[in-house]
Amino acid sequence: MTASPDRYAVIGHPVDHSRSPDIHAAFARQTGQTLVYERLPAAPDAFAATVAAFFAEGGAGLNVTLPFKGEAAAYADRLTDRARRAGAVNTLAREDDGTLLGDNTDGIGLARDLERQLQIPIAGSRILILGAGGAVRGVIPVLFEHGAAAIHVANRTAAKAEAMAADFTDLGDIGGGALSRATGGWDIVVNAISAGLTGETPDVSPAVLDDARGAYDMIYADQPTPFLRWVAEHGIERRCDGFGMLVEQAAESFALWRGVHPQTADVIAALRPGGDRHPS
Ligand code: ATR
């Protein structure tokens, strides 16, 4: 009798549009692994109960998406350093002794995709991040690990950006301030504002792009995102949306669970929803 395949899922609210099942199915085919990967919806107040039931029924690992990444960090028995620094977990893995390891692969996903798509090394770069939400906390430590020369976090609510920068001053040259006061001098501009950049808002000057060699939107869509259209209008040729980041963070989760790191380039090309990968 053959054992049933290991079970994985992505938990979130909502989770019905998640691309993770397609991505992990592609990785499984490519690496010859047999596994099941599904969507696991959970009501906002039912994260812990849903996770407990999933692992009690033999589940092997979970990806965690909005709004549960912070709760997942509190739920895990043990955290990797990068997950602890982020205060957020996007990957739970059941260990041999039955305990749960929490990891955060979002930052490494951004770093890998940004360097490959924009062809600009993070090492030595001055990086401006627009937005100071949970996603930003996950990427700052990894950008410094990759040698970022300086990071500035610009946010609508300036106090949040200042507080975030203060949390990471031990890692490198970092500052934070109001979005409306951000100026130029940055090699790479990364958008992490969840609403994207539409119409009159957010309140950010195109001067932030004055010295930019490339721009990366952590958000992705079927069409070029508002942020990518905005940077294109201001002459930034190297620009990319966040679909590759999604695939890269998934690859890192897959490696943690399965011990084998899948190739990502073909999966990004095959599954991308038609965004703005190449400069037009
Ligand atoms: P995530 O986990 O995806 O980072 P989040 O924690 O909800 O999402 O953070 C959303 C980010 O988008 C915040 O930086 C938020 O700014 P505030 O901290 O001032 O709320 C930013 N944001 C959302 N809508 C915005 C808008 N219309 N203009 C400027 N910033 C906006």
Side-chain angles (χ1 to χ4, degrees):
M1 191 180 129
T2 35
S4 48
D6 287 343
R7 285 178 50 232
Y8 300 88
V10 54
I11 183 169
H13 178 84
V15 79
D16 31 322
H17 295 298
S18 170
R19 301 298 309 278
S20 293
D22 300 337
I23 294 168
H24 283 281
F27 290 161
R29 277 194 301 278
Q30 181 202 108
T31 58
Q33 306 257 319
T34 306
L35 55 84
V36 171
Y37 188 110
E38 295 167 325
R39 295 183 179 85
L40 185 60
D45 61 352
F47 174 78
T50 309
V51 172
F54 177 82
F55 285 106
E57 287 159 14
L62 286 174
N63 280 132
V64 182
T65 187
L66 298 178
F68 298 128
K69 291 184 185 187
E71 229 178 307
Y75 189 88
D77 297 305
R78 202 163 63 79
L79 296 177
T80 61
D81 280 350
R82 58 193 182 188
R84 188 178 46 75
R85 277 310 301 225
V89 155
N90 75 336
T91 309
L92 288 167
R94 192 189 59 208
E95 308 245 69
D96 290 343
D97 63 2
T99 59
L100 285 186
L101 173 67
D103 195 2
N104 186 316
T105 66
D106 289 328
I108 186 77
L110 169 70
R112 288 229 174 91
D113 193 53
L114 186 153
E115 287 195 322
R116 188 175 50 208
Q117 311 279 13
L118 300 186
Q119 295 284 302
I120 302 172
I122 290 167
S125 285
R126 295 170 52 78
I127 301 176
L128 173 66
I129 302 176
L130 307 178
V136 174
R137 192 168 284 280
V139 306
I140 290 172
V142 180
L143 293 175
F144 277 132
E145 252 171 48
H146 281 68
I151 296 176
H152 184 80
V153 181
N155 196 45
R156 176 175 60 185
T157 312
K160 249 169 89 180
E162 287 158 12
M164 181 160 310
D167 282 350
F168 292 106
T169 45
D170 59 317
L171 297 184
D173 178 0
I174 184 166
L179 192 61
S180 57
R181 299 176 66 104
T183 54
W186 307 99
D187 300 304
I188 303 169
V189 178
V190 176
N191 179 51
I193 293 172
S194 51
L197 287 189
T198 47
E200 295 301 303
T201 57
D203 181 14
V204 61
S205 163
V208 300
L209 302 172
D210 279 355
D211 306 282
R213 299 163 59 206
Y216 191 97
D217 196 347
M218 285 170 58
I219 291 153
Y220 71 90
D222 296 357
Q223 301 296 320
T225 63
F227 172 74
L228 292 183
R229 291 203 303 270
W230 182 72
V231 302
E233 281 162 19
H234 291 92
I236 306 298
E237 293 190 352
R238 296 189 198 192
R239 52 185 194 270
C240 180
D241 76 8
F243 184 70
M245 175 181 174
L246 177 73
V247 177
E248 294 289 354
Q249 63 78 29
E252 202 70 15
S253 299
F254 191 93
L256 179 74
W257 293 328
R258 311 299 300 180
V260 48
H261 203 289
Q263 300 295 322
T264 51
D266 290 351
V267 176
I268 293 171
L271 296 183
R272 90 169 356 269
D276 192 16
R277 181 160 57 122
H278 295 295
S280 49

